[in-house]
Amino acid sequence: MDRKDLANLIFPDVKDYTYYEEKYTKRDLPEGAQVLRYAPSPTGFVHIGGLYQSLIAKKIAKQTGGIFYVRIEDTDQKREIENGASQILQALKDYDVFPDETINIDGSDNGNYGPYMQSKRKDIYQSYAKKLLEEGNAYPCFCSPEELDKIRGDQEKAKERTGYYGKWTKCRNMPIDMAIEKIKNGDSYIVRFKSPGNPDKKIKHKDVIKGSIEFPENDQDIVIIKSDGLPTYHFAHAIDDHLMGTTIVTRGDEWVASIPLHLQLFYVLGFRAPKYAHNAPLMKIDGDSKRKLSKRKDPEAAVSYYKEEGIPKQSVKEYLMNIANSNFEIWRKQNPEKSMNKFEFDIKKMGVSGALFDMVKMLDVSKNVISKYTAEEVYNQSYEWAKEYDKELLEMLENKEYSLKVLGIERGNNKPRKDIAKWSDVKDIIYYMYPEKFNKNEQFEYQKVNEKSEIEKIVKLYFEKYYNESDDKQTWFDKMKDLAEELGYAREVKEYKANPENYKGHVGDISTVIRITITGRCNTPDLYEIMQVLGKDELMKRI
Ligand code: GLU
């Protein structure tokens, strides 16, 4: 009995690995094209970090004329949830970062390198495990959980590294006949990798983001095939990234410690290793310290949060790009009108330590993004959001013609309004513009000029003598100054500042009184435009 017999006994029906080597031919791509993937486990929560990774991977693929694919890593069936994969893919679709190849939302494959779901690749992994068994680079291990616990306990007592390595590998040198007999006997087992490593030796790894790192060689005989016949992540990713032609593995830096093992697996399997780019996790300031954005503690960790809040997808993507490459912000300033796709992303510029994810900054970016939208775009997106999340706003927006006028105030010019960061802001921002809503939540807190008689005087005189609905903006403004002058206020702020004792105030104080009277607020977009949209009849009612 030899290794071949053992391999045949364990995997009697699998194809020879050469079948897969021939089936998945090298990708025919232009020189320099990169193949990247996002490889989530479908645990039922679409993390913003996943969108971040996909955005980066897709960007590099597009920039180099390569491929971005998504592989669902569902070999840990205990952690998996129903529809986990389709939720991830739907989110990528919504954000327009859908991969070139993956499983379709209905579960079928789209691409020539599939299946793109690991649980459907069992035979492939087993073929390669069989190859390793035949070569003596893998072996069956019969240690029970109790035995493994005992080994761990002994290691802890002896203050040695834990794991299955070196002198602790009980089954590594088991005679083949004995192993065959045990299997025939029905003893349960798993398959382990026989690591050729020596931890006294070092390996050098050049990470695309982190630069050169040195590690001791791996000597752990890790499990490659579990008792359910499915592979472990380590083994599966090596085979998949090889057969699917990945050129750069972009993944979270929690995996960087696995590099010695992964490079060793590639080597022993006879594969050329891809490049690795380990990116830092998204971090958040919590009190005085930084911590990882947490699925449990931070609502903004879920991609669904942005939809609920009504933060446009473009804002989320722009902000993520901002985090990924700090030069994006400057590029955006210099190219305010260009599509984000035109930005040259440089993976080497990604930060080595945790990237700060800051909602305040995200909303700031979003204000800029929305400020460039037309009234029609703002209308359509708020309407879509309101349909799902805000009945009252939806009712307000039903009057489309009027709403477009309201949303068009201070928009489309070269200094557009920047007060909307998310669709859930819209209702409050435009509330007073709707006659049936006005007065309902306005506070009417007058500012500097707050004496009732003075307010009345200003409003009365303005509407009796100066206001004319058909005035253009300049005339309107000049009249505001005339009114100021007539009532003892300075025409210009400058004049007032030079000699405050000569005036009751300045033209700004006068327009603030008018503004508060007709809107209930002291901060609004352009008052002239507001008055135009409200129209004379409504203004008369309000005063
Ligand atoms: N399935 C692994 C995870 O979700 C992927 C790691 C990788 O990208 O290789 O963390």
Side-chain angles (χ1 to χ4, degrees), residues 1 18 33 95-96 189 199 211 264 329 418 458 479 488 495:
M1 293 281 191
T18 50
Y95 277 87
D96 201 20
Y189 64 95
Q264 199 175 61
E329 198 169 354
K418 291 193 176 170
I458 294 171
K479 284 185 173 178
E495 285 171 10

Side-chain angles (χ1 to χ4, degrees), residues 10 44 53 103 143 178 195 230 234 388 426 518:
I10 297 180
Q53 299 235 7
I103 55 163
C143 288
M178 189 171 163
S195 167
L230 283 169
H234 303 294
E388 215 165 320
V426 169
I518 62 180

Side-chain angles (χ1 to χ4, degrees), residues 37-42 53 71-74 79 118 233 237 241 249-252 254-255 262 276:
R37 86 302 193 272
Y38 171 47
S41 301
Q53 299 235 7
R71 177 172 76 225
I72 302 295
E73 304 209 324
D74 60 341
R79 287 175 60 215
Q118 287 186 328
Y233 161 70
H237 108 280
D241 283 322
V249 170
T250 45
R251 63 181 180 187
E254 68 271 24
W255 293 109
H262 292 173
Y276 282 89

